[in-house]
Amino acid sequence: MLNVMHSNATETRSVYVHVPFCAHRCPYCNFTLIAGRPDLHEAYLDAIELELSRLPDVLEIDTLFFGGGTPTELNCQQLDRLFSIFQKKFQLIDGAEFSIEANPKDITSGLLEVIKRHGVNRVSLGAQSFDNQKLKVLGRDHQAIHIHQAMELLVPKVDSVSLDLIFGTHGESLETWHADLNQAIDLKPQHLSTYGLTYEKGTAYWKSLQSGALELTDEEVERNMYEHAIDHLTGVGFEHYEVSNFARPGFRCVHNQIYWTGKAFHAFGPGAARFVNGVREVNHRSTTKYLNDVLAGKSAVGEREELSPIDRARERLVFGLRRLEGVCIETLEEEVGFTVSEICGNEIDQLESRGLLQNQAGHIKLTRSGLLVSDSIWPRILVPNDG
Ligand code: SF4
């Protein structure tokens, strides 16, 4: 079982590394990445080594997470170097969580050898669906067979494997989604993340929506799919522990809980956002700008924002409420130094009276109805209407 946490609120014991490469850009994706540029991999490794050199000491950490983009877009030799760069600077404690995101097509016995040798104990696979037609609609470059082959290699060798699944694609039925969930369960992952398809500004999907070539999936259909995932996955023993995340007991993602509980974390790579000593910094989002600046000895940081204590408290409340166990009001108020009504006026009471939040023995949490519309709740807390 993963997960030993030695951190307290002030220490920085988690590291996120952004690997900004993908073979191509999926039509729904607006992440920070550069597609089809393997020629930049070596420069990226040089730059990230330089970026890391600004940290003076070797630091002990609880979680290390390589995300993207697609970290496994790097070849085995390059991944080997990337892991070594970080392991020189960060010492993972016993029981630490060491995660990597991967594309199903990239999982080979060679890759498995590299990740095992470096101690990776959690792999998050961008499966998305087992329906080849749906995968095609999503513009993915893998097919169901690649997920099966990847899981055959990973499940016996890696402590925790997670599958990402998407629902609500154009023309998708509840039956297709049910079949996706069942196939995922059959492969015995320890963790599942389910996401409703979104149409972010600037993506190819967004443009298709604007031109009328694509239609939004009916909201009710999408909510039914989400509810079905909750009922089906919890029915077979997964814990629903965050809006989009489900885990077998003992296999919650430790790294993501750092974000949801407002703890500090380091971050490296293009577009990576860190939160250390109450300050949020975001590295240059353009990979080429990041590479040029860092390799020229300049700072990787593009934006710096010192959140006001009240804004921090609001974020802390929102992230806390994303977790199904909710927020203990007394602990939150003690940690952030504001009462809930100072944080967001009477929003919580209003959300409670509408049946979207519930207060159980001093814990506020989402109700089932709140879960289904959680995205509409967060802005009300982050920018409360005092009236
Ligand atoms: S593989 Fe993932 S990160 Fe890369 S373009 Fe597709 S959705 Fe975005």
Side-chain angles (χ1 to χ4, degrees), residues 206-242:
W206 171 263
K207 284 175 203 135
S208 304
L209 204 59
Q210 301 304 304
S211 71
L214 265 183
E215 276 176 35
L216 271 183
T217 305
D218 184 77
E219 262 182 36
E220 198 172 322
V221 171
E222 205 168 309
R223 277 181 206 164
N224 286 342
M225 288 179 174
Y226 179 47
E227 270 206 286
H228 182 65
I230 297 171
D231 293 337
H232 194 41
L233 294 175
T234 54
V236 297
F238 282 88
E239 293 171 342
H240 184 200
Y241 72 103
E242 194 265 353

PDB file of all heavy atoms in Angstrom, residues 206-242:
ATOM      1  N   TRP A 206     -13.707  23.337 -29.472  1.00  0.00           N
ATOM      2  CA  TRP A 206     -14.387  24.624 -29.241  1.00  0.00           C
ATOM      3  C   TRP A 206     -14.763  25.252 -30.584  1.00  0.00           C
ATOM      4  O   TRP A 206     -15.898  25.715 -30.772  1.00  0.00           O
ATOM      5  CB  TRP A 206     -13.475  25.549 -28.432  1.00  0.00           C
ATOM      6  CG  TRP A 206     -13.960  26.961 -28.318  1.00  0.00           C
ATOM      7  CD1 TRP A 206     -13.580  28.035 -29.074  1.00  0.00           C
ATOM      8  CD2 TRP A 206     -14.937  27.468 -27.396  1.00  0.00           C
ATOM      9  NE1 TRP A 206     -14.244  29.164 -28.686  1.00  0.00           N
ATOM     10  CE2 TRP A 206     -15.087  28.847 -27.646  1.00  0.00           C
ATOM     11  CE3 TRP A 206     -15.699  26.886 -26.371  1.00  0.00           C
ATOM     12  CZ2 TRP A 206     -15.964  29.657 -26.924  1.00  0.00           C
ATOM     13  CZ3 TRP A 206     -16.579  27.691 -25.649  1.00  0.00           C
ATOM     14  CH2 TRP A 206     -16.704  29.058 -25.931  1.00  0.00           C
ATOM     15  N   LYS A 207     -13.795  25.200 -31.510  1.00  0.00           N
ATOM     16  CA  LYS A 207     -14.062  25.787 -32.839  1.00  0.00           C
ATOM     17  C   LYS A 207     -15.194  25.027 -33.537  1.00  0.00           C
ATOM     18  O   LYS A 207     -16.069  25.636 -34.150  1.00  0.00           O
ATOM     19  CB  LYS A 207     -12.786  25.767 -33.690  1.00  0.00           C
ATOM     20  CG  LYS A 207     -11.828  26.861 -33.258  1.00  0.00           C
ATOM     21  CD  LYS A 207     -10.509  26.809 -33.992  1.00  0.00           C
ATOM     22  CE  LYS A 207      -9.438  27.516 -33.161  1.00  0.00           C
ATOM     23  NZ  LYS A 207      -8.186  26.768 -33.089  1.00  0.00           N
ATOM     24  N   SER A 208     -15.193  23.710 -33.414  1.00  0.00           N
ATOM     25  CA  SER A 208     -16.253  22.911 -34.038  1.00  0.00           C
ATOM     26  C   SER A 208     -17.615  23.238 -33.427  1.00  0.00           C
ATOM     27  O   SER A 208     -18.633  23.248 -34.117  1.00  0.00           O
ATOM     28  CB  SER A 208     -15.995  21.417 -33.866  1.00  0.00           C
ATOM     29  OG  SER A 208     -14.746  21.088 -34.383  1.00  0.00           O
ATOM     30  N   LEU A 209     -17.589  23.521 -32.124  1.00  0.00           N
ATOM     31  CA  LEU A 209     -18.832  23.890 -31.442  1.00  0.00           C
ATOM     32  C   LEU A 209     -19.348  25.216 -31.997  1.00  0.00           C
ATOM     33  O   LEU A 209     -20.532  25.376 -32.291  1.00  0.00           O
ATOM     34  CB  LEU A 209     -18.525  24.031 -29.946  1.00  0.00           C
ATOM     35  CG  LEU A 209     -19.654  23.855 -28.953  1.00  0.00           C
ATOM     36  CD1 LEU A 209     -20.292  22.489 -29.075  1.00  0.00           C
ATOM     37  CD2 LEU A 209     -19.111  24.030 -27.529  1.00  0.00           C
ATOM     38  N   GLN A 210     -18.420  26.169 -32.151  1.00  0.00           N
ATOM     39  CA  GLN A 210     -18.791  27.496 -32.656  1.00  0.00           C
ATOM     40  C   GLN A 210     -19.343  27.421 -34.072  1.00  0.00           C
ATOM     41  O   GLN A 210     -20.281  28.119 -34.423  1.00  0.00           O
ATOM     42  CB  GLN A 210     -17.582  28.454 -32.652  1.00  0.00           C
ATOM     43  CG  GLN A 210     -16.953  28.684 -31.294  1.00  0.00           C
ATOM     44  CD  GLN A 210     -17.960  29.179 -30.272  1.00  0.00           C
ATOM     45  OE1 GLN A 210     -18.616  30.186 -30.475  1.00  0.00           O
ATOM     46  NE2 GLN A 210     -18.117  28.436 -29.179  1.00  0.00           N
ATOM     47  N   SER A 211     -18.735  26.538 -34.882  1.00  0.00           N
ATOM     48  CA  SER A 211     -19.151  26.474 -36.292  1.00  0.00           C
ATOM     49  C   SER A 211     -20.386  25.597 -36.471  1.00  0.00           C
ATOM     50  O   SER A 211     -20.941  25.501 -37.561  1.00  0.00           O
ATOM     51  CB  SER A 211     -18.009  25.927 -37.147  1.00  0.00           C
ATOM     52  OG  SER A 211     -17.855  24.548 -36.871  1.00  0.00           O
ATOM     53  N   GLY A 212     -20.796  24.926 -35.407  1.00  0.00           N
ATOM     54  CA  GLY A 212     -21.977  24.067 -35.500  1.00  0.00           C
ATOM     55  C   GLY A 212     -21.650  22.656 -35.964  1.00  0.00           C
ATOM     56  O   GLY A 212     -22.552  21.832 -36.111  1.00  0.00           O
ATOM     57  N   ALA A 213     -20.379  22.364 -36.183  1.00  0.00           N
ATOM     58  CA  ALA A 213     -20.007  21.005 -36.614  1.00  0.00           C
ATOM     59  C   ALA A 213     -20.172  19.998 -35.468  1.00  0.00           C
ATOM     60  O   ALA A 213     -20.320  18.804 -35.697  1.00  0.00           O
ATOM     61  CB  ALA A 213     -18.569  20.998 -37.118  1.00  0.00           C
ATOM     62  N   LEU A 214     -20.122  20.482 -34.229  1.00  0.00           N
ATOM     63  CA  LEU A 214     -20.339  19.622 -33.052  1.00  0.00           C
ATOM     64  C   LEU A 214     -21.441  20.228 -32.194  1.00  0.00           C
ATOM     65  O   LEU A 214     -21.597  21.448 -32.150  1.00  0.00           O
ATOM     66  CB  LEU A 214     -19.065  19.584 -32.205  1.00  0.00           C
ATOM     67  CG  LEU A 214     -18.059  18.463 -32.396  1.00  0.00           C
ATOM     68  CD1 LEU A 214     -16.936  18.627 -31.378  1.00  0.00           C
ATOM     69  CD2 LEU A 214     -18.690  17.096 -32.243  1.00  0.00           C
ATOM     70  N   GLU A 215     -22.169  19.353 -31.516  1.00  0.00           N
ATOM     71  CA  GLU A 215     -23.197  19.848 -30.588  1.00  0.00           C
ATOM     72  C   GLU A 215     -22.814  19.452 -29.175  1.00  0.00           C
ATOM     73  O   GLU A 215     -22.244  18.376 -28.969  1.00  0.00           O
ATOM     74  CB  GLU A 215     -24.537  19.187 -30.890  1.00  0.00           C
ATOM     75  CG  GLU A 215     -25.319  19.862 -31.983  1.00  0.00           C
ATOM     76  CD  GLU A 215     -26.588  19.075 -32.285  1.00  0.00           C
ATOM     77  OE1 GLU A 215     -27.173  18.497 -31.357  1.00  0.00           O
ATOM     78  OE2 GLU A 215     -26.941  19.035 -33.472  1.00  0.00           O
ATOM     79  N   LEU A 216     -23.151  20.321 -28.202  1.00  0.00           N
ATOM     80  CA  LEU A 216     -22.891  19.977 -26.801  1.00  0.00           C
ATOM     81  C   LEU A 216     -23.719  18.754 -26.409  1.00  0.00           C
ATOM     82  O   LEU A 216     -24.873  18.636 -26.829  1.00  0.00           O
ATOM     83  CB  LEU A 216     -23.326  21.133 -25.904  1.00  0.00           C
ATOM     84  CG  LEU A 216     -22.327  22.224 -25.580  1.00  0.00           C
ATOM     85  CD1 LEU A 216     -22.966  23.222 -24.620  1.00  0.00           C
ATOM     86  CD2 LEU A 216     -21.063  21.654 -24.947  1.00  0.00           C
ATOM     87  N   THR A 217     -23.129  17.875 -25.625  1.00  0.00           N
ATOM     88  CA  THR A 217     -23.897  16.736 -25.114  1.00  0.00           C
ATOM     89  C   THR A 217     -24.941  17.281 -24.140  1.00  0.00           C
ATOM     90  O   THR A 217     -24.648  18.181 -23.349  1.00  0.00           O
ATOM     91  CB  THR A 217     -22.950  15.766 -24.371  1.00  0.00           C
ATOM     92  OG1 THR A 217     -21.916  15.415 -25.278  1.00  0.00           O
ATOM     93  CG2 THR A 217     -23.661  14.514 -23.909  1.00  0.00           C
ATOM     94  N   ASP A 218     -26.122  16.735 -24.206  1.00  0.00           N
ATOM     95  CA  ASP A 218     -27.203  17.176 -23.330  1.00  0.00           C
ATOM     96  C   ASP A 218     -26.759  17.065 -21.855  1.00  0.00           C
ATOM     97  O   ASP A 218     -26.224  16.036 -21.441  1.00  0.00           O
ATOM     98  CB  ASP A 218     -28.419  16.278 -23.582  1.00  0.00           C
ATOM     99  CG  ASP A 218     -29.601  16.727 -22.787  1.00  0.00           C
ATOM    100  OD1 ASP A 218     -30.224  17.708 -23.188  1.00  0.00           O
ATOM    101  OD2 ASP A 218     -29.872  16.098 -21.728  1.00  0.00           O
ATOM    102  N   GLU A 219     -26.994  18.150 -21.105  1.00  0.00           N
ATOM    103  CA  GLU A 219     -26.528  18.194 -19.705  1.00  0.00           C
ATOM    104  C   GLU A 219     -27.097  17.050 -18.874  1.00  0.00           C
ATOM    105  O   GLU A 219     -26.416  16.493 -18.018  1.00  0.00           O
ATOM    106  CB  GLU A 219     -26.949  19.515 -19.063  1.00  0.00           C
ATOM    107  CG  GLU A 219     -25.845  20.541 -19.062  1.00  0.00           C
ATOM    108  CD  GLU A 219     -26.263  21.822 -18.370  1.00  0.00           C
ATOM    109  OE1 GLU A 219     -27.014  21.756 -17.379  1.00  0.00           O
ATOM    110  OE2 GLU A 219     -25.833  22.887 -18.844  1.00  0.00           O
ATOM    111  N   GLU A 220     -28.339  16.733 -19.143  1.00  0.00           N
ATOM    112  CA  GLU A 220     -28.959  15.683 -18.343  1.00  0.00           C
ATOM    113  C   GLU A 220     -28.330  14.316 -18.649  1.00  0.00           C
ATOM    114  O   GLU A 220     -28.107  13.506 -17.749  1.00  0.00           O
ATOM    115  CB  GLU A 220     -30.460  15.658 -18.600  1.00  0.00           C
ATOM    116  CG  GLU A 220     -31.149  14.918 -17.476  1.00  0.00           C
ATOM    117  CD  GLU A 220     -32.650  15.027 -17.563  1.00  0.00           C
ATOM    118  OE1 GLU A 220     -33.145  16.110 -17.936  1.00  0.00           O
ATOM    119  OE2 GLU A 220     -33.305  14.014 -17.265  1.00  0.00           O
ATOM    120  N   VAL A 221     -28.028  14.099 -19.926  1.00  0.00           N
ATOM    121  CA  VAL A 221     -27.383  12.833 -20.315  1.00  0.00           C
ATOM    122  C   VAL A 221     -26.035  12.727 -19.589  1.00  0.00           C
ATOM    123  O   VAL A 221     -25.667  11.691 -19.025  1.00  0.00           O
ATOM    124  CB  VAL A 221     -27.181  12.782 -21.853  1.00  0.00           C
ATOM    125  CG1 VAL A 221     -26.329  11.587 -22.252  1.00  0.00           C
ATOM    126  CG2 VAL A 221     -28.526  12.763 -22.568  1.00  0.00           C
ATOM    127  N   GLU A 222     -25.305  13.853 -19.584  1.00  0.00           N
ATOM    128  CA  GLU A 222     -23.986  13.851 -18.953  1.00  0.00           C
ATOM    129  C   GLU A 222     -24.098  13.597 -17.440  1.00  0.00           C
ATOM    130  O   GLU A 222     -23.306  12.850 -16.864  1.00  0.00           O
ATOM    131  CB  GLU A 222     -23.291  15.186 -19.230  1.00  0.00           C
ATOM    132  CG  GLU A 222     -21.801  15.046 -19.164  1.00  0.00           C
ATOM    133  CD  GLU A 222     -21.082  16.255 -19.720  1.00  0.00           C
ATOM    134  OE1 GLU A 222     -21.399  16.674 -20.847  1.00  0.00           O
ATOM    135  OE2 GLU A 222     -20.219  16.774 -19.014  1.00  0.00           O
ATOM    136  N   ARG A 223     -25.095  14.227 -16.817  1.00  0.00           N
ATOM    137  CA  ARG A 223     -25.285  13.998 -15.372  1.00  0.00           C
ATOM    138  C   ARG A 223     -25.650  12.539 -15.089  1.00  0.00           C
ATOM    139  O   ARG A 223     -25.191  11.958 -14.114  1.00  0.00           O
ATOM    140  CB  ARG A 223     -26.394  14.915 -14.842  1.00  0.00           C
ATOM    141  CG  ARG A 223     -25.855  16.282 -14.528  1.00  0.00           C
ATOM    142  CD  ARG A 223     -26.917  17.198 -13.984  1.00  0.00           C
ATOM    143  NE  ARG A 223     -26.526  18.576 -14.286  1.00  0.00           N
ATOM    144  CZ  ARG A 223     -27.328  19.607 -14.243  1.00  0.00           C
ATOM    145  NH1 ARG A 223     -28.582  19.452 -13.919  1.00  0.00           N
ATOM    146  NH2 ARG A 223     -26.873  20.815 -14.525  1.00  0.00           N
ATOM    147  N   ASN A 224     -26.472  11.961 -15.973  1.00  0.00           N
ATOM    148  CA  ASN A 224     -26.820  10.538 -15.787  1.00  0.00           C
ATOM    149  C   ASN A 224     -25.571   9.669 -15.864  1.00  0.00           C
ATOM    150  O   ASN A 224     -25.420   8.702 -15.115  1.00  0.00           O
ATOM    151  CB  ASN A 224     -27.808  10.073 -16.868  1.00  0.00           C
ATOM    152  CG  ASN A 224     -29.194  10.610 -16.610  1.00  0.00           C
ATOM    153  OD1 ASN A 224     -29.495  11.036 -15.502  1.00  0.00           O
ATOM    154  ND2 ASN A 224     -30.029  10.618 -17.643  1.00  0.00           N
ATOM    155  N   MET A 225     -24.671  10.029 -16.780  1.00  0.00           N
ATOM    156  CA  MET A 225     -23.441   9.240 -16.931  1.00  0.00           C
ATOM    157  C   MET A 225     -22.587   9.355 -15.672  1.00  0.00           C
ATOM    158  O   MET A 225     -22.034   8.368 -15.184  1.00  0.00           O
ATOM    159  CB  MET A 225     -22.643   9.729 -18.141  1.00  0.00           C
ATOM    160  CG  MET A 225     -23.287   9.339 -19.450  1.00  0.00           C
ATOM    161  SD  MET A 225     -22.332   9.959 -20.830  1.00  0.00           S
ATOM    162  CE  MET A 225     -23.214   9.192 -22.183  1.00  0.00           C
ATOM    163  N   TYR A 226     -22.484  10.558 -15.156  1.00  0.00           N
ATOM    164  CA  TYR A 226     -21.681  10.779 -13.952  1.00  0.00           C
ATOM    165  C   TYR A 226     -22.287  10.016 -12.772  1.00  0.00           C
ATOM    166  O   TYR A 226     -21.587   9.298 -12.040  1.00  0.00           O
ATOM    167  CB  TYR A 226     -21.604  12.283 -13.679  1.00  0.00           C
ATOM    168  CG  TYR A 226     -20.822  12.662 -12.445  1.00  0.00           C
ATOM    169  CD1 TYR A 226     -19.567  12.104 -12.174  1.00  0.00           C
ATOM    170  CD2 TYR A 226     -21.322  13.600 -11.544  1.00  0.00           C
ATOM    171  CE1 TYR A 226     -18.856  12.466 -11.039  1.00  0.00           C
ATOM    172  CE2 TYR A 226     -20.615  13.961 -10.417  1.00  0.00           C
ATOM    173  CZ  TYR A 226     -19.392  13.395 -10.157  1.00  0.00           C
ATOM    174  OH  TYR A 226     -18.690  13.751  -9.040  1.00  0.00           O
ATOM    175  N   GLU A 227     -23.604  10.140 -12.611  1.00  0.00           N
ATOM    176  CA  GLU A 227     -24.271   9.427 -11.511  1.00  0.00           C
ATOM    177  C   GLU A 227     -24.103   7.922 -11.658  1.00  0.00           C
ATOM    178  O   GLU A 227     -23.904   7.211 -10.684  1.00  0.00           O
ATOM    179  CB  GLU A 227     -25.769   9.754 -11.505  1.00  0.00           C
ATOM    180  CG  GLU A 227     -26.074  10.942 -10.651  1.00  0.00           C
ATOM    181  CD  GLU A 227     -27.501  10.904 -10.118  1.00  0.00           C
ATOM    182  OE1 GLU A 227     -28.402  11.156 -10.926  1.00  0.00           O
ATOM    183  OE2 GLU A 227     -27.697  10.627  -8.906  1.00  0.00           O
ATOM    184  N   HIS A 228     -24.173   7.469 -12.910  1.00  0.00           N
ATOM    185  CA  HIS A 228     -24.022   6.031 -13.151  1.00  0.00           C
ATOM    186  C   HIS A 228     -22.615   5.578 -12.738  1.00  0.00           C
ATOM    187  O   HIS A 228     -22.452   4.507 -12.130  1.00  0.00           O
ATOM    188  CB  HIS A 228     -24.274   5.724 -14.634  1.00  0.00           C
ATOM    189  CG  HIS A 228     -24.188   4.264 -14.922  1.00  0.00           C
ATOM    190  ND1 HIS A 228     -25.077   3.351 -14.388  1.00  0.00           N
ATOM    191  CD2 HIS A 228     -23.295   3.537 -15.640  1.00  0.00           C
ATOM    192  CE1 HIS A 228     -24.743   2.143 -14.774  1.00  0.00           C
ATOM    193  NE2 HIS A 228     -23.659   2.219 -15.539  1.00  0.00           N
ATOM    194  N   ALA A 229     -21.621   6.401 -13.057  1.00  0.00           N
ATOM    195  CA  ALA A 229     -20.239   6.051 -12.659  1.00  0.00           C
ATOM    196  C   ALA A 229     -20.148   5.958 -11.143  1.00  0.00           C
ATOM    197  O   ALA A 229     -19.559   5.009 -10.603  1.00  0.00           O
ATOM    198  CB  ALA A 229     -19.267   7.101 -13.193  1.00  0.00           C
ATOM    199  N   ILE A 230     -20.733   6.921 -10.445  1.00  0.00           N
ATOM    200  CA  ILE A 230     -20.669   6.917  -8.979  1.00  0.00           C
ATOM    201  C   ILE A 230     -21.316   5.633  -8.431  1.00  0.00           C
ATOM    202  O   ILE A 230     -20.727   4.918  -7.617  1.00  0.00           O
ATOM    203  CB  ILE A 230     -21.386   8.162  -8.387  1.00  0.00           C
ATOM    204  CG1 ILE A 230     -20.688   9.452  -8.824  1.00  0.00           C
ATOM    205  CG2 ILE A 230     -21.442   8.075  -6.861  1.00  0.00           C
ATOM    206  CD1 ILE A 230     -21.445  10.723  -8.456  1.00  0.00           C
ATOM    207  N   ASP A 231     -22.525   5.350  -8.909  1.00  0.00           N
ATOM    208  CA  ASP A 231     -23.260   4.195  -8.374  1.00  0.00           C
ATOM    209  C   ASP A 231     -22.562   2.883  -8.721  1.00  0.00           C
ATOM    210  O   ASP A 231     -22.421   1.997  -7.878  1.00  0.00           O
ATOM    211  CB  ASP A 231     -24.699   4.183  -8.919  1.00  0.00           C
ATOM    212  CG  ASP A 231     -25.503   5.355  -8.381  1.00  0.00           C
ATOM    213  OD1 ASP A 231     -25.131   5.893  -7.311  1.00  0.00           O
ATOM    214  OD2 ASP A 231     -26.477   5.763  -9.034  1.00  0.00           O
ATOM    215  N   HIS A 232     -22.113   2.791  -9.966  1.00  0.00           N
ATOM    216  CA  HIS A 232     -21.527   1.533 -10.418  1.00  0.00           C
ATOM    217  C   HIS A 232     -20.175   1.280  -9.740  1.00  0.00           C
ATOM    218  O   HIS A 232     -19.908   0.177  -9.248  1.00  0.00           O
ATOM    219  CB  HIS A 232     -21.369   1.594 -11.939  1.00  0.00           C
ATOM    220  CG  HIS A 232     -21.098   0.257 -12.554  1.00  0.00           C
ATOM    221  ND1 HIS A 232     -21.741  -0.895 -12.153  1.00  0.00           N
ATOM    222  CD2 HIS A 232     -20.249  -0.120 -13.551  1.00  0.00           C
ATOM    223  CE1 HIS A 232     -21.296  -1.911 -12.864  1.00  0.00           C
ATOM    224  NE2 HIS A 232     -20.388  -1.474 -13.712  1.00  0.00           N
ATOM    225  N   LEU A 233     -19.332   2.298  -9.697  1.00  0.00           N
ATOM    226  CA  LEU A 233     -17.989   2.090  -9.131  1.00  0.00           C
ATOM    227  C   LEU A 233     -18.041   1.878  -7.623  1.00  0.00           C
ATOM    228  O   LEU A 233     -17.337   1.015  -7.091  1.00  0.00           O
ATOM    229  CB  LEU A 233     -17.076   3.270  -9.485  1.00  0.00           C
ATOM    230  CG  LEU A 233     -16.764   3.404 -10.987  1.00  0.00           C
ATOM    231  CD1 LEU A 233     -15.949   4.660 -11.276  1.00  0.00           C
ATOM    232  CD2 LEU A 233     -16.008   2.175 -11.503  1.00  0.00           C
ATOM    233  N   THR A 234     -18.886   2.648  -6.939  1.00  0.00           N
ATOM    234  CA  THR A 234     -18.967   2.427  -5.480  1.00  0.00           C
ATOM    235  C   THR A 234     -19.627   1.062  -5.213  1.00  0.00           C
ATOM    236  O   THR A 234     -19.293   0.399  -4.239  1.00  0.00           O
ATOM    237  CB  THR A 234     -19.731   3.558  -4.763  1.00  0.00           C
ATOM    238  OG1 THR A 234     -21.006   3.725  -5.383  1.00  0.00           O
ATOM    239  CG2 THR A 234     -18.972   4.866  -4.813  1.00  0.00           C
ATOM    240  N   GLY A 235     -20.506   0.641  -6.125  1.00  0.00           N
ATOM    241  CA  GLY A 235     -21.162  -0.673  -5.986  1.00  0.00           C
ATOM    242  C   GLY A 235     -20.182  -1.830  -6.073  1.00  0.00           C
ATOM    243  O   GLY A 235     -20.441  -2.910  -5.531  1.00  0.00           O
ATOM    244  N   VAL A 236     -19.050  -1.637  -6.754  1.00  0.00           N
ATOM    245  CA  VAL A 236     -18.074  -2.740  -6.840  1.00  0.00           C
ATOM    246  C   VAL A 236     -16.863  -2.487  -5.927  1.00  0.00           C
ATOM    247  O   VAL A 236     -15.816  -3.109  -6.096  1.00  0.00           O
ATOM    248  CB  VAL A 236     -17.607  -2.986  -8.305  1.00  0.00           C
ATOM    249  CG1 VAL A 236     -18.774  -3.419  -9.170  1.00  0.00           C
ATOM    250  CG2 VAL A 236     -16.911  -1.763  -8.894  1.00  0.00           C
ATOM    251  N   GLY A 237     -17.023  -1.558  -4.981  1.00  0.00           N
ATOM    252  CA  GLY A 237     -16.002  -1.433  -3.936  1.00  0.00           C
ATOM    253  C   GLY A 237     -15.018  -0.282  -4.065  1.00  0.00           C
ATOM    254  O   GLY A 237     -14.090  -0.172  -3.254  1.00  0.00           O
ATOM    255  N   PHE A 238     -15.193   0.583  -5.064  1.00  0.00           N
ATOM    256  CA  PHE A 238     -14.324   1.766  -5.124  1.00  0.00           C
ATOM    257  C   PHE A 238     -14.862   2.829  -4.167  1.00  0.00           C
ATOM    258  O   PHE A 238     -16.078   2.968  -4.011  1.00  0.00           O
ATOM    259  CB  PHE A 238     -14.302   2.359  -6.545  1.00  0.00           C
ATOM    260  CG  PHE A 238     -13.422   1.614  -7.503  1.00  0.00           C
ATOM    261  CD1 PHE A 238     -13.917   0.535  -8.227  1.00  0.00           C
ATOM    262  CD2 PHE A 238     -12.091   1.988  -7.669  1.00  0.00           C
ATOM    263  CE1 PHE A 238     -13.101  -0.166  -9.105  1.00  0.00           C
ATOM    264  CE2 PHE A 238     -11.276   1.290  -8.550  1.00  0.00           C
ATOM    265  CZ  PHE A 238     -11.782   0.214  -9.270  1.00  0.00           C
ATOM    266  N   GLU A 239     -13.957   3.576  -3.547  1.00  0.00           N
ATOM    267  CA  GLU A 239     -14.373   4.718  -2.733  1.00  0.00           C
ATOM    268  C   GLU A 239     -14.409   5.941  -3.636  1.00  0.00           C
ATOM    269  O   GLU A 239     -13.429   6.208  -4.352  1.00  0.00           O
ATOM    270  CB  GLU A 239     -13.346   4.997  -1.621  1.00  0.00           C
ATOM    271  CG  GLU A 239     -13.276   3.922  -0.582  1.00  0.00           C
ATOM    272  CD  GLU A 239     -12.103   4.130   0.382  1.00  0.00           C
ATOM    273  OE1 GLU A 239     -11.163   4.901   0.047  1.00  0.00           O
ATOM    274  OE2 GLU A 239     -12.124   3.510   1.440  1.00  0.00           O
ATOM    275  N   HIS A 240     -15.524   6.647  -3.601  1.00  0.00           N
ATOM    276  CA  HIS A 240     -15.596   7.909  -4.344  1.00  0.00           C
ATOM    277  C   HIS A 240     -15.067   8.976  -3.394  1.00  0.00           C
ATOM    278  O   HIS A 240     -15.752   9.359  -2.452  1.00  0.00           O
ATOM    279  CB  HIS A 240     -17.053   8.183  -4.732  1.00  0.00           C
ATOM    280  CG  HIS A 240     -17.218   9.396  -5.577  1.00  0.00           C
ATOM    281  ND1 HIS A 240     -18.421  10.049  -5.704  1.00  0.00           N
ATOM    282  CD2 HIS A 240     -16.334  10.081  -6.360  1.00  0.00           C
ATOM    283  CE1 HIS A 240     -18.271  11.076  -6.529  1.00  0.00           C
ATOM    284  NE2 HIS A 240     -17.009  11.124  -6.927  1.00  0.00           N
ATOM    285  N   TYR A 241     -13.830   9.435  -3.606  1.00  0.00           N
ATOM    286  CA  TYR A 241     -13.221  10.295  -2.583  1.00  0.00           C
ATOM    287  C   TYR A 241     -13.036  11.740  -3.027  1.00  0.00           C
ATOM    288  O   TYR A 241     -12.750  12.619  -2.205  1.00  0.00           O
ATOM    289  CB  TYR A 241     -11.894   9.701  -2.094  1.00  0.00           C
ATOM    290  CG  TYR A 241     -10.731   9.764  -3.064  1.00  0.00           C
ATOM    291  CD1 TYR A 241      -9.726  10.716  -2.907  1.00  0.00           C
ATOM    292  CD2 TYR A 241     -10.617   8.863  -4.112  1.00  0.00           C
ATOM    293  CE1 TYR A 241      -8.654  10.776  -3.762  1.00  0.00           C
ATOM    294  CE2 TYR A 241      -9.535   8.912  -4.986  1.00  0.00           C
ATOM    295  CZ  TYR A 241      -8.559   9.868  -4.804  1.00  0.00           C
ATOM    296  OH  TYR A 241      -7.494   9.936  -5.667  1.00  0.00           O
ATOM    297  N   GLU A 242     -13.191  12.002  -4.316  1.00  0.00           N
ATOM    298  CA  GLU A 242     -13.126  13.384  -4.819  1.00  0.00           C
ATOM    299  C   GLU A 242     -14.053  13.448  -6.017  1.00  0.00           C
ATOM    300  O   GLU A 242     -14.343  12.404  -6.618  1.00  0.00           O
ATOM    301  CB  GLU A 242     -11.672  13.703  -5.207  1.00  0.00           C
ATOM    302  CG  GLU A 242     -11.373  15.172  -5.418  1.00  0.00           C
ATOM    303  CD  GLU A 242     -11.478  15.613  -6.868  1.00  0.00           C
ATOM    304  OE1 GLU A 242     -11.664  14.748  -7.762  1.00  0.00           O
ATOM    305  OE2 GLU A 242     -11.392  16.814  -7.112  1.00  0.00           O
TER     306      GLU A 242
END
